[in-house]
Amino acid sequence: MSATALAEYLILQPDGQETILHDSRFSRPPIVTANGDAMRALRAYNCDPRRDTIALDRVKEALNQRAAGWDVKPKTRDEALRCIESIDLFLRHENAFGMRAMALSQPSQFDAIDIEGVLVSVRPDFLVSGGRDRIGAGLLRVAKAPDPDGCKLDETKRRRGEHRREMARYMVALLQMLLEAQNGKMGVPDRDLCFVADVRLGERIGPATDHAIRLRSIRGACRQIAKLWPTITPRPGVLRK
């Protein structure tokens, strides 16, 4: 189960939780990661102490050329345009993220961690080095849904924004759990060095004030998921594939 799926499971109503569990068990991941070009460019940019925006300009130019090709498939064009949008949003909100002052590095692949019998895949985009051998981790969230800007009513916009913030707070807790699972090999885990930079909100979200309660909620949810997992059956749409 992915960290993103688990974080969303924790804030959804039962019907939504059921869909999350079903999709986590039976849906196949896409061959090409959505926003992959943007994420690779932004990871490299933020891990470079020079923060050279020319490198991002080159990526955007290549994506524009790909989108403008006369024989390009609509799906490929849409993906290229989404990646350009993600890079532009990051640059627009870069000062608010405050990441320039951080010592960031790209992590290696982590194995999934076992939380109360559930294997959870937590894939940070950055490691954050702090003083006195402290270590943190960060995630860039570029996914569009739920999109606060895709609605007209202020209340709907507020609700979608809070949905993203709540997910981010749980993902920060999962980043801490990932680092703790390394048994000190990377340094002393520091939750205050863990964050999610949400390019749609233009916010860097750190640990919640009730962070310890969220850690317990994650473990409790995983115990529940471990019991439910064997009972999840594929929906008709999966069986037809």
Side-chain angles (χ1 to χ4, degrees):
M1 189 173 194
S2 73
T4 303
L6 178 55
E8 192 159 26
Y9 176 90
L10 282 152
I11 63 175
L12 288 178
Q13 297 298 317
D15 286 350
Q17 291 180 333
E18 183 181 344
T19 297
I20 290 288
L21 292 184
H22 174 274
D23 291 350
S24 293
R25 180 162 189 184
F26 296 110
S27 293
R28 295 179 180 178
I31 296 174
V32 178
T33 304
N35 300 295
D37 288 303
M39 291 301 298
R40 284 187 288 273
L42 290 172
R43 289 186 193 110
Y45 169 80
N46 283 284
C47 292
D48 182 351
R50 299 169 300 171
R51 301 297 202 278
D52 186 2
T53 57
I54 293 176
L56 294 180
D57 290 338
R58 289 177 182 145
V59 173
K60 287 168 56 182
E61 182 180 357
L63 289 167
N64 270 314
Q65 290 177 358
R66 185 187 305 170
W70 66 269
D71 59 345
V72 68
K73 295 180 180 179
K75 186 175 181 179
T76 302
R77 178 182 293 108
D78 290 345
E79 173 64 13
L81 294 176
R82 277 198 301 272
C83 286
I84 293 169
E85 180 192 29
S86 296
I87 293 171
D88 285 340
L89 282 171
F90 176 85
L91 291 173
R92 184 187 307 167
H93 299 305
E94 184 176 12
N95 289 338
F97 294 144
M99 293 166 61
R100 280 180 173 268
M102 297 180 179
L104 302 177
S105 60
Q106 292 198 40
S108 56
Q109 289 278 32
F110 288 96
D111 292 333
I113 57 174
D114 187 320
I115 305 177
E116 304 293 339
V118 177
L119 288 178
V120 181
S121 175
V122 189
R123 302 280 179 86
D125 295 304
F126 311 104
L127 293 179
V128 187
S129 299
R132 292 176 296 184
D133 200 32
R134 294 178 304 148
I135 189 73
L139 282 164
L140 273 177
R141 183 150 193 247
V142 302
K144 196 165 187 176
D147 184 8
D149 293 328
C151 51
K152 294 180 180 179
L153 295 178
D154 289 341
E155 175 58 24
T156 307
K157 183 178 293 188
R158 183 201 63 77
R159 189 165 58 247
R160 290 184 180 182
E162 193 54 30
H163 182 110
R164 296 180 73 94
R165 293 183 187 94
E166 279 293 285
M167 281 187 65
R169 292 168 188 136
Y170 278 113
M171 290 164 78
V172 167
L174 286 164
L175 287 171
Q176 178 188 338
M177 296 176 84
L178 171 71
L179 295 175
E180 289 175 346
Q182 309 312 308
N183 297 317
K185 295 177 184 177
M186 307 182 66
V188 180
D190 186 339
R191 71 184 186 190
D192 291 325
L193 292 177
C194 296
F195 68 90
V196 173
D198 191 312
V199 303
R200 300 282 164 186
L201 296 176
E203 299 175 14
R204 187 181 86 204
I205 301 161
T209 54
D210 60 349
H211 183 77
I213 294 174
R214 288 172 188 268
L215 292 172
R216 291 198 294 272
S217 296
I218 289 170
R219 294 189 180 98
C222 285
R223 285 194 294 271
Q224 180 185 50
I225 292 169
K227 292 178 182 177
L228 291 173
W229 198 259
T231 70
I232 303 168
T233 56
R235 293 174 179 173
V238 173
L239 295 173
R240 286 195 297 267
K241 292 181 180 179

